[in-house]
Amino acid sequence: MRGIILAGGSGTRLRPLTSVHSKQLLPVYDKPMIYYPLSVLMQTGIREILIISTPEHLGAYRSLLGDGGRLGIRLEYAVQDQPKGLAEALLIGREFVGDEQVCLILGDNIFYGHGLPDMLRAEAARLDGCTLFGYPVSDPERYGVATVDEDGTILTLEEKPTAPRSNLAVTGLYLYDNDALDLAAGLAPSARQELEITDLNLRYVEQGRARLVNLGRGSAWFDTGTHDSLLEAATFVQVLEKRQGIRISCVEEVAYRMGYIDAEQLAALGGELSPSTSYGRYVLELAGAA
């Protein structure tokens, strides 16, 4: 399975923060926002990842992450000239994905849960069609909303309905088989001239090959597209890290835990981060305890 992080868009809801910066490079407490979706893909066992961003910001991602070799993964980069819908990521990444399955994740979505990595690996292994991930919300009219049967098969899927049939919002994490590439290519642009991800998912619903996993209790999901949600996510990370003495979505630790790098390589990464920072000390201490 290949991974795609969509880190494009203009971030209009976060201006002036995004007037000169890419939204997915903004800090969420102690690390860049993109570390969070990147760690999700790495924990799923995905080591070949494409990052899609705007022409003016792609260089910053290259400077931050390089080719991924330091983390034991392979990163490639591609440009999305204009925000033409989430499903366009599959067209941009078609050659990169090849004949593999694909996990698409939005660069401004943050996921956390103790059992989340194991669950994602299990879902990737059993993928047959499309698997979406839902989260109960109090304002479902702001999201894509799904209803499911007792087995998790999606029965209905609506984008920002005025009268939602459930409170299950579809999050920005999607698992697709290789058919998604052709299905995305066959989508008609919406009234906004965008290739809508809900339209793609509905193709799978029509075929009876769309499942939804309810993340529910024990997990946290943040769509950090507004100032309030960005602050809420940062506060969540700060509280959890300080109380438990851990680091959420520390990509260096994820690479080590997944066996992508060894303790010596981890220590080298910690040295580059600088022991004068709590983040750098955490990585160095982890390497020393290995």
Side-chain angles (χ1 to χ4, degrees):
M1 179 175 281
R2 300 285 175 89
I4 296 178
I5 301 176
L6 184 55
S10 54
T12 53
R13 292 182 297 165
L14 283 171
R15 290 181 180 170
L17 293 177
T18 53
S19 295
V20 295
H21 291 289
S22 173
K23 172 172 62 174
Q24 294 82 4
L25 288 174
L26 293 175
V28 178
Y29 185 49
D30 58 355
K31 63 189 73 69
M33 187 186 296
I34 197 169
Y35 275 32
Y36 295 88
L38 178 59
S39 69
V40 169
L41 295 183
M42 292 170 65
Q43 289 173 318
T44 307
I46 299 171
R47 301 179 69 172
E48 295 176 289
I49 298 166
L50 177 69
I51 296 175
I52 299 174
S53 190
T54 60
E56 62 268 31
H57 295 137
L58 206 60
Y61 289 99
R62 290 182 187 274
S63 297
L64 176 67
L65 298 168
D67 64 3
R70 294 161 61 254
L71 298 172
I73 61 176
R74 179 170 69 89
L75 296 177
E76 294 189 15
Y77 300 86
V79 168
Q80 185 182 42
D81 292 313
Q82 298 290 332
K84 296 179 181 178
L86 306 184
E88 190 190 28
L90 295 172
L91 304 186
I92 295 171
R94 181 163 196 153
E95 183 177 344
F96 171 79
V97 174
D99 58 2
E100 300 273 350
Q101 297 175 327
V102 60
C103 177
L104 171 64
I105 187 168
L106 305 187
D108 60 357
N109 274 219
I110 294 174
F111 297 87
Y112 178 77
H114 179 69
L116 186 64
D118 289 339
M119 181 270 288
L120 290 175
R121 288 192 288 270
E123 291 299 329
R126 65 172 291 183
L127 178 63
D128 180 17
C130 156
T131 298
L132 309 181
F133 297 87
Y135 196 83
V137 296
S138 60
D139 51 353
E141 64 278 358
R142 294 180 53 229
Y143 304 94
V145 177
T147 61
V148 300
D149 66 14
E150 59 185 12
D151 297 320
T153 300
I154 298 176
L155 302 175
T156 65
L157 186 61
E158 300 175 282
E159 183 65 25
K160 299 180 180 177
T162 54
R165 302 185 191 186
S166 81
N167 69 337
L168 273 181
V170 176
T171 69
L173 176 62
Y174 316 88
L175 298 179
Y176 295 113
D177 64 12
N178 197 257
D179 292 345
L181 302 179
D182 288 334
L183 291 173
L187 292 177
S190 67
R192 298 184 300 174
Q193 295 302 303
E194 296 182 357
L195 299 181
E196 304 289 354
I197 200 74
T198 297
D199 291 342
L200 171 61
N201 296 335
L202 281 170
R203 299 295 185 272
Y204 282 99
V205 173
E206 293 163 0
Q207 298 173 8
R209 296 198 302 132
R211 294 181 62 252
L212 182 136
V213 176
N214 186 348
L215 296 176
R217 294 188 179 185
S219 297
W221 168 59
F222 297 91
D223 177 358
T224 58
T226 66
H227 296 102
D228 284 342
S229 59
L230 183 62
L231 178 60
E232 289 167 4
T235 301
F236 173 83
V237 173
Q238 179 199 38
V239 170
L240 204 59
E241 290 189 351
K242 286 197 169 186
R243 287 185 178 179
Q244 298 188 5
I246 61 172
R247 284 291 184 275
I248 295 174
S249 299
C250 171
V251 292
E252 296 83 4
E253 178 179 13
V254 172
Y256 174 68
R257 301 284 189 198
M258 292 296 295
Y260 301 160
I261 61 174
D262 58 26
E264 184 178 350
Q265 292 169 305
L266 181 65
L269 291 176
E272 293 174 12
L273 290 165
S274 175
S276 64
T277 67
S278 60
Y279 190 101
R281 287 195 300 273
Y282 177 81
V283 174
L284 286 171
E285 289 168 4
L286 180 64

